[in-house]
Amino acid sequence: GATFTPIGTAYDVPFAGSYDGGGHVISNLSVSTEGANAGLFGYLKDAEVKDITIEGATVNSGANYAGAIAGVLNGGSISGCRVDENSNITSAARGAGGIVGFVRSGKISECASHAIMAAGTDVAGGVAGYLNTNAATNDILVINCTFEPVYKDGKMAAATLTTAAANAYMGGIAGSANAQDGMGQIRIANCY
């Protein structure tokens, strides 16, 4: 099938609006970028995305940040989204997440992922790959979210890392959470 170009591709060309999926299902989404920011949305800036189900997605970033819903969330929110077990999210470098690859600020709530993620160098997470605030006003909240890996051929199919990096991070909710002194807060609550 045809490859989908992400909506909003970079910091200077973001999606900055509101998208209500109305509970609809997007099937067989295929996204492949040579550079960063792969997903249904490549780069969200102060945007709202809600109530979308993704089934059978193949999302590949040729560099950093891949997620079924968004490559990057930089302000705003993602809520009520679901990604199924037949979805594969791959980042050639860092930041692969079932819902979003990289969060600079914003809120992810009531989301569920069953996707299989792979990051080439480091940072893979079931809901979000990389959480990293860089300003005192940048807060991140991940709340009421779930990651439930599935079993295929008798083995758990979940986040994987193929890396030569000395420090490689992965986790069920987030692969890495980094808030330096004086920067915004990162909170993960009521997740499993």
Side-chain angles (χ1 to χ4, degrees):
T3 299
F4 181 79
T5 300
I7 303 166
T9 55
Y11 177 81
D12 56 348
V13 190
F15 177 76
S18 179
Y19 184 91
D20 184 350
H24 285 42
V25 175
I26 297 174
S27 298
N28 304 314
L29 175 69
S30 177
V31 176
S32 183
T33 63
E34 287 185 15
N37 312 334
L40 175 63
F41 296 88
Y43 199 104
L44 297 171
K45 175 68 175 145
D46 298 326
E48 177 188 38
V49 174
K50 65 181 181 179
D51 299 333
I52 304 168
T53 294
I54 305 269
E55 294 181 350
T58 301
V59 176
N60 296 302
S61 167
N64 294 320
Y65 315 134
I69 301 299
V72 175
L73 173 64
N74 187 358
S77 66
I78 298 171
S79 63
C81 293
R82 181 183 174 274
V83 181
D84 83 339
E85 66 276 7
N86 296 311
S87 294
N88 288 276
I89 315 300
T90 305
S91 173
R94 86 174 0 181
I99 302 295
V100 61
F102 172 58
V103 182
R104 182 64 83 189
S105 67
K107 179 180 177 181
I108 303 170
S109 62
E110 286 76 43
C111 289
S113 173
H114 304 273
I116 299 167
M117 285 76 53
T121 58
D122 62 336
V123 191
V127 173
Y130 189 36
L131 308 177
N132 184 342
T133 67
N134 70 341
T137 57
N138 286 1
D139 290 330
I140 297 172
L141 174 62
V142 180
I143 188 167
N144 300 330
C145 292
T146 63
F147 172 61
E148 297 179 76
V150 296
Y151 289 84
K152 293 183 179 181
D153 300 323
K155 296 180 182 176
M156 186 170 69
T160 61
L161 286 168
T162 304
T163 180
N167 298 303
Y169 309 98
M170 62 189 296
I173 300 301
S176 173
N178 182 16
Q180 298 176 5
D181 289 344
M183 298 299 147
Q185 291 186 337
I186 297 176
R187 294 179 295 150
I188 298 172
N190 298 337
C191 295
Y192 74 89

Short mmCIF file of all heavy atoms in Angstrom, two decimals, residues 72-127:
data_model
loop_
_atom_site.label_atom_id
_atom_site.label_comp_id
_atom_site.label_asym_id
_atom_site.label_seq_id
_atom_site.Cartn_x
_atom_site.Cartn_y
_atom_site.Cartn_z
N VAL A 72 6.53 13.21 17.85
CA VAL A 72 6.88 14.15 18.91
C VAL A 72 5.64 14.85 19.44
O VAL A 72 4.77 15.27 18.64
CB VAL A 72 7.88 15.22 18.40
CG1 VAL A 72 8.16 16.27 19.47
CG2 VAL A 72 9.18 14.58 17.93
N LEU A 73 5.54 14.98 20.77
CA LEU A 73 4.54 15.83 21.42
C LEU A 73 5.29 16.93 22.16
O LEU A 73 6.03 16.67 23.09
CB LEU A 73 3.69 15.02 22.41
CG LEU A 73 2.70 15.83 23.29
CD1 LEU A 73 1.64 16.50 22.43
CD2 LEU A 73 2.07 14.93 24.34
N ASN A 74 5.08 18.18 21.70
CA ASN A 74 5.73 19.34 22.32
C ASN A 74 4.63 20.33 22.70
O ASN A 74 4.35 21.29 22.00
CB ASN A 74 6.73 19.96 21.35
CG ASN A 74 7.56 21.06 21.99
OD1 ASN A 74 7.37 21.40 23.15
ND2 ASN A 74 8.47 21.63 21.21
N GLY A 75 3.95 20.03 23.81
CA GLY A 75 2.83 20.85 24.26
C GLY A 75 1.51 20.31 23.77
O GLY A 75 1.41 19.82 22.65
N GLY A 76 0.50 20.37 24.62
CA GLY A 76 -0.82 19.87 24.25
C GLY A 76 -1.09 18.51 24.85
O GLY A 76 -0.53 18.14 25.89
N SER A 77 -1.93 17.72 24.18
CA SER A 77 -2.34 16.45 24.77
C SER A 77 -2.69 15.40 23.73
O SER A 77 -3.10 15.71 22.61
CB SER A 77 -3.55 16.68 25.68
OG SER A 77 -4.68 17.07 24.90
N ILE A 78 -2.52 14.15 24.15
CA ILE A 78 -2.99 12.98 23.41
C ILE A 78 -3.84 12.19 24.39
O ILE A 78 -3.37 11.85 25.48
CB ILE A 78 -1.82 12.11 22.90
CG1 ILE A 78 -0.95 12.90 21.92
CG2 ILE A 78 -2.35 10.84 22.25
CD1 ILE A 78 0.34 12.18 21.54
N SER A 79 -5.09 11.92 24.06
CA SER A 79 -5.97 11.21 25.00
C SER A 79 -6.87 10.22 24.27
O SER A 79 -7.23 10.42 23.11
CB SER A 79 -6.82 12.21 25.78
OG SER A 79 -7.68 12.93 24.92
N GLY A 80 -7.23 9.16 24.99
CA GLY A 80 -8.20 8.19 24.49
C GLY A 80 -7.78 7.48 23.23
O GLY A 80 -8.62 7.10 22.42
N CYS A 81 -6.47 7.26 23.04
CA CYS A 81 -5.99 6.59 21.83
C CYS A 81 -5.53 5.17 22.15
O CYS A 81 -5.08 4.88 23.26
CB CYS A 81 -4.85 7.39 21.21
SG CYS A 81 -5.37 8.99 20.56
N ARG A 82 -5.67 4.29 21.16
CA ARG A 82 -5.32 2.88 21.34
C ARG A 82 -4.54 2.39 20.13
O ARG A 82 -4.86 2.77 19.00
CB ARG A 82 -6.59 2.05 21.50
CG ARG A 82 -6.33 0.58 21.72
CD ARG A 82 -7.63 -0.23 21.79
NE ARG A 82 -7.32 -1.64 21.86
CZ ARG A 82 -7.11 -2.42 20.81
NH1 ARG A 82 -7.15 -1.93 19.60
NH2 ARG A 82 -6.82 -3.70 20.97
N VAL A 83 -3.53 1.56 20.37
CA VAL A 83 -2.73 0.97 19.31
C VAL A 83 -2.71 -0.54 19.53
O VAL A 83 -2.42 -1.00 20.63
CB VAL A 83 -1.29 1.54 19.32
CG1 VAL A 83 -0.47 0.93 18.18
CG2 VAL A 83 -1.33 3.06 19.19
N ASP A 84 -3.02 -1.30 18.48
CA ASP A 84 -3.20 -2.74 18.65
C ASP A 84 -1.89 -3.52 18.56
O ASP A 84 -0.83 -2.99 18.25
CB ASP A 84 -4.25 -3.28 17.67
CG ASP A 84 -3.69 -3.57 16.29
OD1 ASP A 84 -2.62 -3.00 15.92
OD2 ASP A 84 -4.32 -4.34 15.55
N GLU A 85 -2.00 -4.84 18.82
CA GLU A 85 -0.83 -5.72 18.90
C GLU A 85 -0.23 -6.04 17.53
O GLU A 85 0.85 -6.61 17.44
CB GLU A 85 -1.20 -7.03 19.61
CG GLU A 85 -2.18 -7.90 18.86
CD GLU A 85 -3.64 -7.52 19.08
OE1 GLU A 85 -3.92 -6.48 19.71
OE2 GLU A 85 -4.52 -8.28 18.62
N ASN A 86 -0.91 -5.68 16.46
CA ASN A 86 -0.39 -5.92 15.12
C ASN A 86 0.35 -4.70 14.57
O ASN A 86 0.62 -4.61 13.37
CB ASN A 86 -1.51 -6.33 14.18
CG ASN A 86 -2.12 -7.65 14.61
OD1 ASN A 86 -1.41 -8.62 14.87
ND2 ASN A 86 -3.43 -7.70 14.70
N SER A 87 0.66 -3.76 15.44
CA SER A 87 1.36 -2.55 15.04
C SER A 87 2.83 -2.64 15.44
O SER A 87 3.16 -3.06 16.54
CB SER A 87 0.72 -1.33 15.70
OG SER A 87 -0.59 -1.14 15.21
N ASN A 88 3.70 -2.23 14.52
CA ASN A 88 5.15 -2.25 14.74
C ASN A 88 5.70 -0.85 14.57
O ASN A 88 5.52 -0.22 13.53
CB ASN A 88 5.81 -3.20 13.74
CG ASN A 88 5.54 -4.65 14.06
OD1 ASN A 88 6.21 -5.25 14.89
ND2 ASN A 88 4.52 -5.21 13.44
N ILE A 89 6.38 -0.36 15.62
CA ILE A 89 6.91 1.00 15.66
C ILE A 89 8.44 0.90 15.75
O ILE A 89 8.95 0.32 16.71
CB ILE A 89 6.37 1.77 16.88
CG1 ILE A 89 4.87 1.57 17.08
CG2 ILE A 89 6.76 3.24 16.79
CD1 ILE A 89 3.99 2.00 15.95
N THR A 90 9.15 1.49 14.79
CA THR A 90 10.60 1.37 14.75
C THR A 90 11.25 2.73 14.54
O THR A 90 10.84 3.50 13.67
CB THR A 90 11.04 0.43 13.60
OG1 THR A 90 10.38 -0.82 13.75
CG2 THR A 90 12.54 0.22 13.64
N SER A 91 12.26 3.00 15.35
CA SER A 91 13.10 4.18 15.18
C SER A 91 14.51 3.70 14.91
O SER A 91 15.04 2.87 15.66
CB SER A 91 13.07 5.04 16.45
OG SER A 91 14.00 6.08 16.36
N ALA A 92 15.13 4.20 13.84
CA ALA A 92 16.49 3.77 13.51
C ALA A 92 17.48 4.19 14.59
O ALA A 92 18.50 3.53 14.78
CB ALA A 92 16.91 4.34 12.16
N ALA A 93 17.18 5.28 15.29
CA ALA A 93 18.05 5.75 16.35
C ALA A 93 17.33 5.67 17.69
O ALA A 93 17.05 4.60 18.18
CB ALA A 93 18.54 7.17 16.04
N ARG A 94 16.91 6.82 18.26
CA ARG A 94 16.31 6.81 19.59
C ARG A 94 14.83 7.16 19.54
O ARG A 94 14.35 7.78 18.62
CB ARG A 94 17.06 7.75 20.53
CG ARG A 94 16.62 9.18 20.50
CD ARG A 94 17.28 10.08 21.52
NE ARG A 94 18.23 9.41 22.37
CZ ARG A 94 18.89 9.99 23.35
NH1 ARG A 94 18.73 11.27 23.61
NH2 ARG A 94 19.73 9.33 24.09
N GLY A 95 14.12 6.73 20.60
CA GLY A 95 12.76 7.20 20.81
C GLY A 95 11.68 6.47 20.04
O GLY A 95 11.09 7.03 19.12
N ALA A 96 11.41 5.22 20.39
CA ALA A 96 10.27 4.50 19.82
C ALA A 96 9.25 4.28 20.93
O ALA A 96 9.59 3.79 22.01
CB ALA A 96 10.72 3.15 19.25
N GLY A 97 7.99 4.66 20.69
CA GLY A 97 6.94 4.49 21.68
C GLY A 97 5.65 4.01 21.04
O GLY A 97 5.38 4.34 19.88
N GLY A 98 4.87 3.26 21.78
CA GLY A 98 3.62 2.77 21.24
C GLY A 98 2.67 3.89 20.85
O GLY A 98 2.02 3.84 19.80
N ILE A 99 2.60 4.93 21.68
CA ILE A 99 1.74 6.08 21.40
C ILE A 99 2.55 7.23 20.79
O ILE A 99 2.20 7.76 19.75
CB ILE A 99 1.01 6.57 22.67
CG1 ILE A 99 0.17 5.44 23.30
CG2 ILE A 99 0.15 7.80 22.37
CD1 ILE A 99 -0.99 4.94 22.44
N VAL A 100 3.65 7.61 21.44
CA VAL A 100 4.47 8.73 20.98
C VAL A 100 5.96 8.43 21.22
O VAL A 100 6.31 7.80 22.23
CB VAL A 100 4.03 10.05 21.65
CG1 VAL A 100 4.19 9.99 23.15
CG2 VAL A 100 4.75 11.26 21.09
N GLY A 101 6.81 8.89 20.30
CA GLY A 101 8.24 8.61 20.42
C GLY A 101 8.96 9.50 21.41
O GLY A 101 9.81 9.04 22.15
N PHE A 102 8.63 10.81 21.42
CA PHE A 102 9.35 11.77 22.24
C PHE A 102 8.38 12.83 22.76
O PHE A 102 7.58 13.37 22.00
CB PHE A 102 10.45 12.44 21.40
CG PHE A 102 11.16 13.58 22.07
CD1 PHE A 102 11.83 13.41 23.27
CD2 PHE A 102 11.19 14.84 21.49
CE1 PHE A 102 12.51 14.46 23.88
CE2 PHE A 102 11.87 15.90 22.08
CZ PHE A 102 12.52 15.70 23.28
N VAL A 103 8.45 13.08 24.06
CA VAL A 103 7.61 14.12 24.67
C VAL A 103 8.50 15.18 25.30
O VAL A 103 9.29 14.89 26.20
CB VAL A 103 6.65 13.53 25.74
CG1 VAL A 103 5.76 14.64 26.31
CG2 VAL A 103 5.81 12.40 25.16
N ARG A 104 8.36 16.42 24.83
CA ARG A 104 9.07 17.56 25.40
C ARG A 104 8.22 18.20 26.50
O ARG A 104 8.71 18.62 27.53
CB ARG A 104 9.38 18.58 24.31
CG ARG A 104 10.15 19.78 24.79
CD ARG A 104 11.53 19.45 25.30
NE ARG A 104 12.51 19.34 24.23
CZ ARG A 104 13.74 18.89 24.41
NH1 ARG A 104 14.15 18.50 25.61
NH2 ARG A 104 14.58 18.81 23.41
N SER A 105 6.90 18.28 26.27
CA SER A 105 5.95 18.74 27.27
C SER A 105 4.57 18.29 26.83
O SER A 105 4.35 17.98 25.67
CB SER A 105 6.00 20.27 27.44
OG SER A 105 5.54 20.91 26.27
N GLY A 106 3.63 18.24 27.79
CA GLY A 106 2.26 17.87 27.44
C GLY A 106 1.73 16.72 28.28
O GLY A 106 2.37 16.26 29.23
N LYS A 107 0.56 16.25 27.90
CA LYS A 107 -0.17 15.25 28.67
C LYS A 107 -0.60 14.10 27.77
O LYS A 107 -1.14 14.33 26.68
CB LYS A 107 -1.40 15.90 29.32
CG LYS A 107 -2.27 14.96 30.14
CD LYS A 107 -3.45 15.72 30.72
CE LYS A 107 -4.39 14.81 31.49
NZ LYS A 107 -5.54 15.56 32.03
N ILE A 108 -0.37 12.87 28.24
CA ILE A 108 -0.88 11.67 27.58
C ILE A 108 -1.80 11.00 28.59
O ILE A 108 -1.37 10.68 29.70
CB ILE A 108 0.26 10.71 27.18
CG1 ILE A 108 1.28 11.42 26.28
CG2 ILE A 108 -0.30 9.48 26.48
CD1 ILE A 108 2.53 10.62 26.07
N SER A 109 -3.06 10.80 28.22
CA SER A 109 -4.02 10.23 29.17
C SER A 109 -4.95 9.24 28.50
O SER A 109 -5.25 9.35 27.31
CB SER A 109 -4.83 11.34 29.83
OG SER A 109 -5.59 12.05 28.87
N GLU A 110 -5.39 8.24 29.30
CA GLU A 110 -6.35 7.24 28.84
C GLU A 110 -5.96 6.62 27.51
O GLU A 110 -6.79 6.42 26.64
CB GLU A 110 -7.77 7.83 28.74
CG GLU A 110 -8.47 8.06 30.05
CD GLU A 110 -7.97 9.31 30.80
OE1 GLU A 110 -7.77 10.36 30.16
OE2 GLU A 110 -7.75 9.21 32.02
N CYS A 111 -4.67 6.30 27.36
CA CYS A 111 -4.19 5.66 26.14
C CYS A 111 -3.75 4.23 26.46
O CYS A 111 -3.29 3.94 27.56
CB CYS A 111 -3.02 6.44 25.54
SG CYS A 111 -3.50 8.02 24.81
N ALA A 112 -3.88 3.35 25.47
CA ALA A 112 -3.48 1.95 25.64
C ALA A 112 -2.69 1.51 24.43
O ALA A 112 -3.06 1.80 23.29
CB ALA A 112 -4.70 1.06 25.81
N SER A 113 -1.58 0.81 24.68
CA SER A 113 -0.77 0.29 23.58
C SER A 113 -0.49 -1.19 23.79
O SER A 113 -0.24 -1.64 24.90
CB SER A 113 0.56 1.05 23.50
OG SER A 113 1.40 0.43 22.53
N HIS A 114 -0.55 -1.90 22.68
CA HIS A 114 -0.15 -3.31 22.64
C HIS A 114 0.95 -3.49 21.59
O HIS A 114 1.29 -4.60 21.23
CB HIS A 114 -1.34 -4.19 22.26
CG HIS A 114 -2.53 -4.03 23.15
ND1 HIS A 114 -2.70 -4.73 24.31
CD2 HIS A 114 -3.61 -3.21 23.06
CE1 HIS A 114 -3.86 -4.38 24.89
NE2 HIS A 114 -4.41 -3.45 24.14
N ALA A 115 1.46 -2.38 21.06
CA ALA A 115 2.37 -2.41 19.93
C ALA A 115 3.73 -3.02 20.27
O ALA A 115 4.11 -3.14 21.43
CB ALA A 115 2.58 -0.99 19.39
N ILE A 116 4.45 -3.37 19.22
CA ILE A 116 5.82 -3.85 19.34
C ILE A 116 6.72 -2.71 18.89
O ILE A 116 6.55 -2.17 17.80
CB ILE A 116 6.04 -5.09 18.46
CG1 ILE A 116 5.10 -6.22 18.90
CG2 ILE A 116 7.50 -5.54 18.51
CD1 ILE A 116 5.02 -7.37 17.93
N MET A 117 7.66 -2.30 19.75
CA MET A 117 8.55 -1.18 19.46
C MET A 117 10.00 -1.64 19.36
O MET A 117 10.39 -2.56 20.07
CB MET A 117 8.50 -0.11 20.57
CG MET A 117 7.28 0.75 20.60
SD MET A 117 5.87 -0.09 21.27
CE MET A 117 6.48 -0.69 22.80
N ALA A 118 10.77 -0.98 18.51
CA ALA A 118 12.20 -1.24 18.44
C ALA A 118 12.93 0.07 18.20
O ALA A 118 12.54 0.85 17.32
CB ALA A 118 12.51 -2.22 17.31
N ALA A 119 13.95 0.34 19.01
CA ALA A 119 14.79 1.52 18.83
C ALA A 119 16.20 1.06 18.49
O ALA A 119 16.75 0.17 19.15
CB ALA A 119 14.80 2.37 20.09
N GLY A 120 16.76 1.67 17.45
CA GLY A 120 18.07 1.23 16.98
C GLY A 120 19.20 1.55 17.93
O GLY A 120 20.13 0.75 18.07
N THR A 121 19.17 2.71 18.60
CA THR A 121 20.26 3.05 19.51
C THR A 121 19.81 3.00 20.96
O THR A 121 20.39 2.29 21.77
CB THR A 121 20.87 4.42 19.20
OG1 THR A 121 19.86 5.42 19.27
CG2 THR A 121 21.51 4.44 17.83
N ASP A 122 18.77 3.76 21.33
CA ASP A 122 18.33 3.73 22.72
C ASP A 122 16.93 4.33 22.87
O ASP A 122 16.44 5.01 21.98
CB ASP A 122 19.32 4.46 23.64
CG ASP A 122 19.48 5.94 23.31
OD1 ASP A 122 19.22 6.33 22.18
OD2 ASP A 122 19.86 6.70 24.23
N VAL A 123 16.30 4.02 23.96
CA VAL A 123 15.04 4.58 24.44
C VAL A 123 13.81 4.06 23.69
O VAL A 123 13.42 4.57 22.64
CB VAL A 123 15.03 6.13 24.45
CG1 VAL A 123 13.82 6.62 25.22
CG2 VAL A 123 16.28 6.70 25.08
N ALA A 124 13.19 3.02 24.25
CA ALA A 124 11.93 2.48 23.74
C ALA A 124 10.98 2.30 24.92
O ALA A 124 11.39 1.81 25.98
CB ALA A 124 12.14 1.15 23.03
N GLY A 125 9.72 2.70 24.75
CA GLY A 125 8.74 2.58 25.83
C GLY A 125 7.39 2.18 25.30
O GLY A 125 7.01 2.52 24.17
N GLY A 126 6.64 1.46 26.13
CA GLY A 126 5.34 0.97 25.72
C GLY A 126 4.36 2.05 25.34
O GLY A 126 3.62 1.93 24.38
N VAL A 127 4.32 3.14 26.11
CA VAL A 127 3.44 4.27 25.81
C VAL A 127 4.24 5.39 25.15
O VAL A 127 3.89 5.87 24.07
CB VAL A 127 2.71 4.77 27.08
CG1 VAL A 127 1.91 6.05 26.78
CG2 VAL A 127 1.78 3.69 27.61
#
